């Protein structure tokens, strides 16, 4: 027998246990020699224990000395070592105590009996000593040690109960080790009894079997769980996470997750099925933990700067010059302090796992050498097979524990970072806020926090990868000697290649992100201004712009794909190249070096172990670099200055103060200063009592109208109704579909500007503060509403009388009624006093009044004289084209009913914006087919074929290697070495090339598919009718363009690549094992069945968890961006803590679905790897069984393949699941690429002549229209005819159908009956662009796109610069534009934010002047423009469009008093249609309106 038979691992394990092992090693399993004289050295310790029985090869036995010493002491040593740290841990983590249960009593009794049994042995030894029968010392030591250990175990059982431990891992391992070590003497004693006529030592024989049955009983008992501790939150929690009560075995195998997997398999999981978050992972525990550490860091830095300042100035200067930048508090250190200790437990598991990884190659070595020896006993083969299985299984359990710790750390990091950023964003100064936009801060939360989370998973690779590499190289050196260096050289050469690829890929990613951001920004603007694009027929220009960016993006993607293919090749070929060079060098260096199966396959399995750390290491380094960038960004944000809560001292008494002044003179800044929002330079501010604040731009939350007004205060019916009444909201509620329980969209999207402002005011009123800061709340509402609000809320008689009110206003008519007026000029107070005093002073204020007062005051005063002007108080004061019908239609059509308040029988509340549904159930195979079609069906088949070839080449290379190793047995090595090496190299190279070609072809196919899918989506969205955009939140459409297209561009290709790779590698493993040991086919069926069974459970559950996670993620960010825009209001009302709590709840809600998601991966991993381990076991077993028929090469081949399969199987399931979650993106994009489209843009055979319309005659004949199928008609049977050049004013109450009429001309609404003809052409028959390009509209809300001013005026570049300047001159913008350095190329920011509203309106006028069509439609602007600009526009229109047909929707009647005719609409029908004079004479509706406006007596 060869010494290779001596189990090396045993030697490894026991070298540290004294010298006993050394003494008995020789006789342990030496099958050849029967001598046992090696005990002489230790005669004193266990003399005469060993019987001189020759070991039997078929029935080997360990020497009794070894059994009594090492095997008995091993569990004891473990328990005593584990005890101190464990006790320390229990002292720290007390969970409350557990009542004494039957289980606990039984365990305790058994422990006592065990102690008695051990000491019975001890006393019997003393007894024999007295009898004069001296035993060796081991008979005293072992029972004493074991007995003491049993007492320790007994103590632990009770101590754990008092500390609330329900199931003990420490004790479980102890009992398990005890049973394991007792099996050897158990068998040994039976064998002895068999060989000897009678049992020599009956007492010890009996006590041992007692002992054995008791420890088995203890082992079984420790598998069960105790009841939860008293008063634990398990009882109070409706849906607690079973992990907290799970036993040790359940925790190790993640068995506690099974209930969720089953539930998810039966029905798709819903949010209510999720377990509550463990307390220790929740925001309320995690965030304060981090913030405490961060405060400590900040305090440190602060104290160090203070010590600097306390020194004398010269010294400080010297020191400062040495220390360039001031020391910053370290966020990293606070993270490590807060979460490091927990993470280290995971690292300990990783260390264990790394060591166990190397056991299997050693066992493989023994197995191959076993098959070579013909006479070797079969039990040894079986032992090896089971040891391989056991080592692999242990590795699985430990690896997944490591992952669990890492992922939970990552999850806590994310929670705490989001929490810290949220809390910080509520208190940073405005200057700091300007440094980072809302988008950037949201990015800190989403992207940067995510990076930390991803890093924690692999952080341990930093030390683990080098360790694995060193160990692998050590074993390889033992195997192959110095030839290994050749392989190492290849690895070292591959590292810079991988690094270069990684660096380049990073660069491309950055570039691609820029294009993606640009594309999303543009899409966002397009969707926000889609109506304007349709009205101007500008779609194709913008479509080209998007496609141009998209093309650049795809080009970068293509480059990334080339690199990806290269790196995939490097990743698959690296182990092969290393093996090739090593083997080639090994056989050529020395004639005596023979490559046999043992050397080849053990080396191969070691090379495979090397593959992972070598590839991970560069990736870990690069993600550490990324995370360090994120770290710096987060650290900078958290170090921003905070507002000083002490800057405003509060006291003063009630009066009404108005603040007036020109645009930009600092009125709003004054209000901000009073709120403490500005940085205080000098002086002091004092305010007495609480504050309520109404900002200039109302801040509305995405909640119900009522919640917006209550803003966290308790509901009081009477007070609430009074607020609604005072703010003129009562009439609006009648129009809203769900009354005050209507859900308001983000940023108040479904309220008009005026309604938003009134809700904001009602919120302030309801909050009953002492001081009211009102920043121009009256500008957004119509004149009569403003009057109502002033009288009922703000004015001397209003609800706020007696409170301090500071009102910023432009409305001159209210000034006489205020107590004091402050006039501001360029940030200073120029005058202050009452209205009369200021008039007397005849300063700037008097001048200001003289300019504006006349028409304004007349118009407004008359308006306030009558109250007949309430008709739903301007539900749409500033919504251009939305009548009440539209509002109703937005909310009634497809939205589902929410449950209404049971006490009040309100109408069923309609959810305005449908919750985005998470898909459920399996992804339909149709979707996969859609994607395959987009890739190209033939290409898809070809890709699969390439993958097949690549696997075939890999199998070929390894089969060839096994043939080569068999040469060694036949001693025909030298002759054909070069041929063997050559073919092996050729097959390997072929595999590398095929890998590259296949991954490259796949990438090309994927990019082609991405292009097609995006184009279809974009094209469809430009052709979608306006009604779709009115009912679909923009965010949802943007999501398709950003998230889903990103998945199709980047995530899906890599998933498909991984899926195909793992699928073919698993397949080839099966083929190899079955061909080498055909009997293996028997096992495949049951294993495959279990595999598919587990896979189906996992995929169903995990898919749904992923969906729930992504659905619950967006509320975190939308709540956050909402908060950031409203920080000043939240602070003014003192709602800081409530909002922090809301954010925490949203984060926890998201982690609730994320946590089961991580655990589901662990659950799957343990089960699938168990199947993989079974494959290893059976491959080894069948190799042992068929050992006589098999050559060592085949055994090596099949077992080394089996060792690889675990990873592929695990990843294959994960990839199946990822594939299903990612392919959903294709489904979602498809869904939006197939929505109903509007009429074609151009109809070739119906094209009107180029000069149409030459006259501008417009005729409506019996025309009706509705917003959508199944809704009421908005216009009913209109018949009227307008001659070319007429000027028509359109008036009517809100909701009469004024705007709808203009939309019909542009066919944004299609006729429900009747016709419109323009110059004899029926507009319903021609293409939309032909129609829309010949009409011009100046919309009520001016929309600009980001880009140059020139592009905004003339996107198709039809006009010369001269014409553009002419238009600017006529629209009074030329002075402004020519003062800009960029002139026409002046960059407009998103939405034209860098121009004032008035300037934007003038740009729209310039657009109209450029187009100069025969028909002009004006949707007159109200509050947006100051009186000067309004006059400019009116006069320009009168002169420039003299001979055109003009339709004006009038809000201010004085603008249309000189028009040809006025059309009065009422409820969608023509009420009056005649000249203004005739209509006034008739005293009908028009007369009433004119009287309200003070234009008629």
């Amino acid at each position: 027998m060869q010494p290779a038979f001596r189990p090396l691992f045993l030697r490894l394990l026991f070298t540290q246990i004294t010298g006993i092992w050394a003494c008995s090693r020789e006789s342990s399993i030496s099958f050849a020699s029967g001598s046992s004289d090696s005990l002489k050295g230790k005669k004193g310790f266990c003399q005469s224990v060993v019987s001189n029985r020759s070991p039997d090869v078929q029935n080997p036995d360990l020497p009794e000395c070894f059994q009594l010493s090492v095997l008995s002491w091993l569990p004891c040593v473990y328990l005593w070592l584990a005890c101190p740290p464990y006790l320390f841990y229990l002292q720290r983590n007390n969970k409350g105590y557990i009542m004494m249960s039957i289980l606990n009593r039984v365990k305790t009794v058994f422990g006592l009996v065990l102690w008695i049994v051990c000491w019975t042995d001890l006393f019997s030894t003393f007894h024999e000593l007295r009898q004069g029968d001296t035993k060796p010392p081991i008979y005293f030591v072992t029972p004493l040690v074991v007995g003491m250990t049993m007492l320790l175990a007994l103590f632990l059982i009770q101590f754990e109960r008092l500390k609330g431990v329900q199931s003990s891992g420490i004790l479980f391992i102890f009992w398990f080790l005890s049973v394991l070590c007792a099996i050897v003497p158990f068998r040994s004693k039976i064998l002895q009894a068999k060989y000897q006529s009678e049992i020599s030592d009956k007492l010890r024989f009996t006590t041992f079997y007692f002992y054995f049955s008791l420890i088995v009983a203890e082992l079984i008992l420790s598998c069960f769980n105790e009841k939860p501790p008293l008063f634990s939150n398990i009882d109070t929690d409706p849906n607690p996470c079973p992990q907290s009560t799970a036993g040790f075995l359940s925790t190790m195998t993640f068995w506690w997750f099974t209930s969720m997997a089953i539930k998810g398999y039966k029905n798709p999981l819903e949010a209510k099925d999720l377990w509550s978050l463990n307390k220790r992972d929740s925001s309320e525990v995690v965030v304060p933990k981090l913030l405490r550490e961060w405060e400590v860091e900040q305090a440190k830095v602060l104290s160090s700067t203070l010590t600097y300042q306390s020194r004398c100035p010269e010294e400080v200067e010297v020191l400062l010059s040495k220390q360039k930048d001031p020391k910053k508090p370290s966020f990293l250190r606070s993270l490590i302090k807060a979460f490091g200790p927990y993470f280290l437990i995971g690292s300990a598991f990783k260390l264990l796992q790394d060591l166990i990884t190397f056991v299997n190659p050693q066992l493989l070595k023994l197995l191959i050498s076993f098959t070579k020896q013909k006479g070797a006993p079969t039990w040894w083969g079986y032992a090896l097979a089971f040891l391989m299985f056991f080592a692999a299984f242990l590795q699985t359990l430990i690896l997944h524990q490591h992952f669990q710790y890492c992922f939970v750390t990552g999850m806590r990091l994310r929670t705490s970072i989001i929490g810290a950023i949220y809390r910080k964003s509520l208190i940073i100064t405005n200057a700091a806020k300007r440094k980072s936009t809302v988008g950037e801060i949201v990015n800190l939360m989403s992207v940067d926090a995510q990076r930390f989370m991803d890093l924690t998973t692999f952080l341990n690779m930093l030390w683990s990868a080098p360790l694995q590499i060193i160990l692998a190289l050590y074993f390889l050196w033992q195997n192959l000697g110095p030839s290994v260096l050749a392989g190492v050289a290849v690895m070292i050469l591959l590292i810079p290649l991988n690094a270069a690829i990684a660096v380049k890929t990073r660069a491309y990613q950055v570039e691609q992100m820029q294009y993606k951001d640009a594309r999303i920004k543009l899409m966002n603007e397009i969707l926000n201004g889609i109506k304007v694009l349709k009205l101007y027929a500008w779609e194709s220009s913008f479509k080209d712009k998007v496609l141009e960016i998209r093309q650049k993006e795809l080009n970068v993607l293509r480059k990334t794909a080339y690199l990806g293919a290269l790196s995939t090749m490097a990743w698959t070929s690296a182990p092969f190249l290393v093996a090739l060079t090593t083997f080639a060098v090994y056989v050529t260096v020395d004639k005596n070096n023979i490559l046999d199966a043992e050397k080849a396959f053990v080396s191969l399995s070691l090379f495979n172990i090397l593959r992972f750390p070598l590839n991970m290491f560069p990736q870990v380094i690069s993600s550490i670099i990324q995370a360090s960038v994120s770290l710096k960004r987060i650290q900078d944000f958290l170090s921003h200055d905070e507002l000083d809560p002490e800057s405003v001292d509060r006291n003063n008494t009630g009066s009404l103060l108005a603040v007036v002044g020109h645009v930009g003179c600092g009125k709003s800044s004054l209000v901000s200063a009073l709120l403490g929002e500005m940085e205080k330079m000098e002086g002091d501010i004092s305010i007495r009592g609480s504050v309520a604040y109404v900002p200039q731009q109302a801040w509305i939350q995405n909640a119900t109208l009522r919640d917006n007004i209550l803003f966290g205060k308790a509901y009081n019916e009477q007070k609430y109704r009074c607020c609604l009444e005072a703010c003129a909201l009562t009439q609006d509620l009648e129009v809203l579909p769900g009354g005050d329980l209507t859900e308001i969209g983000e940023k108040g999207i479904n309220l008009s500007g005026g309604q938003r402002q009134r809700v904001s005011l009602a919120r302030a009123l309801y909050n009953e503060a002492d001081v009211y800061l009102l920043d121009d709340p009256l500008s957004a509402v119509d004149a009569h509403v403003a009057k109502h609000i002033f009288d009922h809320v703000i004015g001397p008689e209003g609800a706020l009388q007696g409170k301090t009110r500071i009102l910023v206003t432009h409305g001159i008519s209210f000034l006489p009624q205020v107590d004091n007026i402050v006039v501001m000029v360029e940030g200073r107070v120029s005058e202050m006093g009452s209205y009369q005093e200021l008039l007397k002073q005849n300063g700037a204020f008097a001048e200001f009044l003289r300019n504006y007062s006349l028409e304004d005051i007349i118009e407004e005063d008359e308006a306030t004289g009558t109250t007949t002007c309430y008709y739903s108080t301007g539900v749409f004061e500033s919504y251009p084209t939305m009548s009440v019908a539209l509002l109703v239609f937005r909310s009634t059509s497809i939205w589902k009913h929410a449950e209404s308040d049971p006490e009040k029988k309100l109408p069923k509340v309609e959810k305005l914006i449908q919750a985005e549904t998470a898909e459920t159930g399996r992804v339909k195979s149709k979707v996969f087919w859609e994607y395959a079609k987009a890739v190209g069906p033939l290409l898809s088949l070809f890709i699969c074929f390439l993958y097949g070839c690549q696997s075939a080449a890999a199998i070929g290379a390894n089969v060839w290697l096994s043939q080569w190793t068999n040469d060694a047995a036949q001693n025909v090595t030298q002759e054909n070495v070069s041929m063997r090496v050559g073919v092996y190299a050729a097959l390997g190279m072929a595999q590398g090339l095929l890998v590259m070609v296949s991954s490259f072809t796949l990438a090309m196919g994927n990019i082609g598919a991405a292009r097609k899918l995006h184009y279809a989506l974009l094209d469809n969205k430009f052709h979608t009718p306006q009604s779709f955009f009115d009912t679909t939140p923009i965010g949802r459409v943007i999501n398709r363009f950003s998230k889903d297209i990103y998945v199709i561009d980047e995530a899906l290709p890599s998933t498909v690549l991984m899926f195909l790779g793992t699928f073919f590698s698993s397949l080839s493993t099966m083929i190899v094992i079955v061909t080498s040991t055909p009997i293996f086919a028997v096992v495949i069926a049951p294993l495959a069945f279990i595999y598919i069974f587990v896979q189906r459970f996992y995929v169903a559950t995990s898919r749904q968890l992923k969906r729930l996670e992504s659905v619950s993620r967006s509320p975190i960010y939308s709540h956050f961006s909402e908060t950031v825009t409203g920080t000043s209001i939240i602070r003014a009302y003192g709602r800081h803590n409530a909002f922090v709590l809301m954010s925490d709840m949203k984060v926890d809600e998201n982690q609730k679905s994320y946590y089961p998601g991580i655990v589901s991966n662990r659950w799957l991993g343990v089960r699938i790897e168990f199947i993989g381990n079974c494959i290893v076991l059976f491959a080894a077993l069948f190799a042992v069984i068929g050992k006589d028929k098999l050559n060592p090469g085949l055994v090596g081949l099949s077992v080394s393949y089996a060792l690889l399969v675990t990873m592929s199987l695990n990843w294959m399931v994960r990839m199946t699941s990822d594939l299903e979650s990612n392919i959903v993106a294709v489904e979602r994009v498809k869904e939006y690429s197939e929505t109903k489209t509007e009429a074609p843009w151009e109809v070739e055979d119906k094209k009107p002549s180029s000069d149409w319309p030459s006259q501008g005659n417009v005729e409506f004949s019996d025309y009706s229209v509705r917003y959508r199928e199944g809704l009421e008609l908005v216009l009913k049977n209109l018949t009227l005819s307008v001659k070319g050049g007429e000027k028509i004013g359109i008036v009517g109450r809100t909701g009469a159908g004024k705007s709808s009429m203009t939309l019909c001309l542009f066919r944004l609404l299609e006729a429900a009956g009747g016709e419109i003809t323009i110059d004899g052409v029926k507009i319903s028959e021609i293409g939309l662009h032909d129609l829309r390009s010949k009409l011009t509209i100046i919309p009520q809300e001016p929309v600009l796109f980001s880009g140059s001013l020139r592009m905004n005026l003339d996107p198709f570049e039809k006009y010369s610069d001269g014409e553009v300047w002419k238009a600017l001159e006529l629209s009074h913008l030329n002075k402004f534009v020519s003062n800009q350095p960029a002139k026409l190329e002046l960059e407009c920011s998103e939405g034209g934010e860098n121009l004032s509203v008035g300037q934007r309106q003038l740009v729209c006028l310039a657009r109209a002047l450029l187009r100069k069509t025969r028909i002009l439609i004006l949707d007159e602007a109200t509050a947006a423009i100051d009186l000067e600009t309004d006059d400019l526009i009116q006069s320009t229109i009168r002169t420039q469009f003299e001979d055109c047909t003009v339709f004006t929707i009038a809000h201010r009647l004085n603008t249309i008093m000189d028009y040809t005719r006025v059309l009065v609409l009422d409820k969608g029908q023509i009420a009056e249609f005649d000249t203004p004079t005739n209509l006034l004479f008739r005293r009908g509706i028009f007369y009433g309106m004119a009287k309200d406006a003070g234009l008629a007596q």
Side-chain angles (χ1 to χ4, degrees), residues 1237-1417:
T1237 53
E1238 56 187 2
W1241 285 345
E1242 283 167 1
V1243 180
E1244 282 310 318
D1245 50 347
K1246 294 273 187 184
K1247 256 187 156 11
S1249 61
S1250 58
D1251 62 343
W1252 174 88
S1254 46
Q1255 270 92 39
N1257 300 332
V1258 179
E1259 251 181 81
F1260 284 74
S1261 56
D1262 203 15
Y1263 188 84
S1264 310
V1265 73
R1266 56 167 55 95
Y1267 270 101
R1268 196 136 110 226
E1269 289 303 308
L1271 291 177
E1272 294 286 304
L1273 288 174
V1274 197
L1275 295 176
K1276 308 183 188 96
N1277 314 10
L1278 290 195
T1279 306
L1280 67 135
S1281 117
V1282 174
K1283 306 231 171 10
E1286 276 197 286
K1287 309 284 180 282
I1288 304 291
I1290 304 175
V1291 297
R1293 304 289 180 207
T1294 302
K1298 306 189 291 287
S1299 300
S1300 315
M1301 197 169 148
T1302 57
L1303 293 185
C1304 297
L1305 282 170
F1306 285 92
R1307 281 178 63 197
L1308 278 188
L1309 294 177
E1310 295 286 2
E1315 276 294 351
I1316 299 179
T1317 42
I1318 297 179
D1319 278 6
V1321 175
K1322 292 186 174 174
I1323 66 166
S1324 56
E1325 292 175 358
I1326 58 176
L1328 291 180
H1329 275 186
D1330 291 332
L1331 166 68
R1332 291 171 183 170
S1333 59
K1334 297 301 169 73
L1335 308 175
T1336 306
I1337 185 167
I1338 301 181
Q1340 176 179 355
E1341 289 206 335
V1343 176
L1344 265 61
F1345 299 95
S1346 61
S1348 66
L1349 181 65
R1350 157 114 222 195
M1351 191 278 310
N1352 267 298
L1353 293 170
D1354 171 28
F1356 292 103
E1357 310 205 336
K1358 283 189 199 158
Y1359 306 100
S1360 68
D1361 278 8
E1363 291 171 290
V1364 175
W1365 276 109
K1366 182 86 179 93
L1368 286 175
E1369 189 181 332
L1370 291 169
S1371 56
H1372 308 277
L1373 271 171
N1374 58 339
K1375 186 169 156 218
F1376 167 72
V1377 178
S1378 49
N1379 285 343
Q1380 299 293 331
K1383 304 279 192 286
L1384 287 178
E1385 294 306 313
L1386 165 73
E1387 270 301 307
C1388 301
S1389 59
E1390 201 171 334
E1393 292 292 321
N1394 53 349
L1395 301 179
S1396 74
V1397 182
Q1399 286 167 328
R1400 279 180 252 168
Q1401 196 70 56
L1402 293 174
V1403 171
C1404 292
L1405 175 63
R1407 279 180 194 160
L1409 290 162
L1410 261 182
R1411 286 167 74 119
K1412 198 77 197 287
T1413 54
R1414 300 292 303 180
I1415 298 176
L1416 172 72
I1417 291 132

Side-chain angles (χ1 to χ4, degrees), residues 19 89 145 179 383 455 481 495 546 667 832 925 975 1061 1157 1217 1250 1318:
Y89 166 78
V145 171
V179 172
L455 179 65
I495 288 175
V546 177
K667 301 185 293 291
M832 183 171 171
S925 47
E975 298 83 272
S1217 159
S1250 58
I1318 297 179

Side-chain angles (χ1 to χ4, degrees), residues 971-1021:
N971 295 328
V972 282
T973 45
Q974 275 333 93
E975 298 83 272
N976 41 18
V977 160
S978 52
M979 189 259 297
R980 289 291 188 195
V981 172
V983 174
Y984 187 52
L987 281 167
M989 296 297 179
Q991 184 203 354
L993 274 173
L994 281 166
V995 168
M996 187 161 151
V997 173
S998 55
S999 52
F1000 186 67
T1001 322
L1002 179 66
M1004 289 302 93
N1006 285 325
I1007 288 176
R1011 169 184 284 118
K1012 284 178 204 155
L1013 290 166
H1014 175 264
Y1015 184 81
L1017 175 66
L1018 184 69
D1019 194 52
N1020 178 281
K1021 279 300 138 273

